[in-house]
Amino acid sequence: MDTPRRGSRAHSFNRAAAQYAASRPSYPPALLPTVEDLAGRPFSGSTTVDVGAGIGISTALLHARGAHVLAVEPGPGMAAQFRRTHPGIPLVRGDGDALPLATASVDFLTYAQSWHWTDPTRSVPEALRVLRPGGALALWWNTDALDVPWIADAAARIRRFLGPDADAPMGQTGAMEQTGTTGAPAALEATAGLLDCARRRIRWSRRVSLDTHLANIASHSGFLVLDEATRTTFVTEERARLRALFPDERIEETYDVDLLVATRP
């Protein structure tokens, strides 16, 4: 994906922040304890920075876990939504390629659904710079559970609809945060020899209305950059397909969290 298109996708969330807040999934209760186990240290009392914080889904979980958490978010629309929802949690504007943080000042550096928007040639050295010795870089993504037949079918329809961009590489020259894929392989390659990495998958699910499920799909960047008529066509057709499968219009979305925890020597 070329740089202008990558930038267009990254900025597309700012005009859909409210939709994002209303429809995007959170993360399973097991996630943060697993991060702590792999990092060998607790979040409670730690200095934690959540990068690409968006509307604050992960930031709020980290705060509730007892971390002294600072959110870093580049987008004005997402930052505004964050401040409305979490007025008591500090937020600064910035991104992972040039962190507005002091050297060796952070115990945990977290990226929830956001590492793939960085340039690893910059974000990896920045992580090494700001983490204290023994500090941990934690990256995670919700991915669709493609062994569930109806989810696999829906993901295939999305790939066909979006075309080549649905399979765009992540975490290198471009990024596609889209169903069924993560930036973990690129992150592992980028940190090889620099950080000790562990990878885990955590399955979980949530039950939502059909409207929320469709709004979640449409809140992904591949759809946000489309014109409204094109996006509406897909959503209308998908609604009809899923209503036939789920007449009560209640959908169980099943996810696998792809988690990487890398500890700084």
Side-chain angles (χ1 to χ4, degrees):
M1 188 186 300
D2 57 41
T3 300
R5 288 162 68 207
R6 179 190 180 197
S8 176
R9 287 204 168 175
H11 292 294
S12 68
F13 299 112
N14 290 302
R15 59 181 178 270
Q19 175 184 347
Y20 195 108
S23 63
R24 281 297 183 103
S26 183
Y27 302 101
L31 174 61
L32 296 187
T34 302
V35 174
E36 292 174 327
D37 288 345
L38 294 175
R41 62 192 308 161
F43 279 110
S44 181
S46 70
T47 299
T48 297
V49 177
D50 192 31
V51 187
I55 59 169
I57 295 173
S58 58
T59 317
L61 296 176
L62 292 162
H63 179 74
R65 193 75 181 170
H68 302 299
V69 62
L70 170 70
V72 176
E73 168 55 38
M78 298 294 264
Q81 182 69 39
F82 181 104
R83 290 189 173 107
R84 284 192 293 270
T85 308
H86 307 292
I89 299 178
L91 178 145
V92 296
R93 297 287 299 281
D95 62 56
D97 294 342
L99 290 166
L101 304 169
T103 298
S105 62
V106 174
D107 298 310
F108 285 96
L109 191 64
T110 63
Y111 286 78
Q113 311 280 137
S114 59
W115 176 264
H116 56 271
W117 294 114
T118 73
D119 174 359
T121 64
R122 301 173 66 188
S123 57
V124 172
E126 277 293 85
L128 290 168
R129 180 182 68 82
V130 304
L131 283 171
R132 293 170 176 152
L137 170 67
L139 323 174
W140 63 82
W141 294 264
N142 270 323
T143 71
D144 288 334
L146 297 179
D147 59 328
V148 178
W150 80 264
I151 293 177
D153 291 343
R157 288 193 295 272
I158 290 171
R159 286 195 297 271
R160 287 194 298 269
F161 181 76
L162 294 179
D165 282 350
D167 298 314
M170 302 177 66
Q172 301 283 339
T173 59
M176 176 60 189
E177 48 81 56
Q178 186 49 60
T179 177
T181 59
T182 79
L188 284 169
E189 181 180 354
T191 57
L194 300 172
L195 295 166
D196 297 324
C197 292
R199 188 177 186 180
R200 297 289 187 275
R201 286 188 177 270
I202 304 169
R203 176 155 291 196
W204 72 287
S205 63
R206 67 169 188 165
R207 286 186 61 81
V208 297
S209 68
L210 177 57
D211 285 343
T212 297
H213 175 75
L214 293 171
N216 176 25
I217 292 172
S219 75
H220 286 75
S221 63
F223 287 93
L224 293 174
V225 297
L226 300 174
D227 64 84
E228 185 175 354
T230 302
R231 188 166 58 246
T232 299
T233 295
F234 177 87
V235 170
T236 300
E237 293 175 353
E238 192 68 6
R239 179 184 299 277
R241 292 188 183 97
L242 293 178
R243 186 177 282 151
L245 289 174
F246 304 100
D248 64 351
E249 299 193 8
R250 298 295 297 175
I251 310 290
E252 183 168 358
E253 298 175 343
T254 303
Y255 296 97
D256 289 317
V257 175
D258 196 359
L259 167 67
L260 285 180
V261 177
T263 305
R264 189 189 190 285

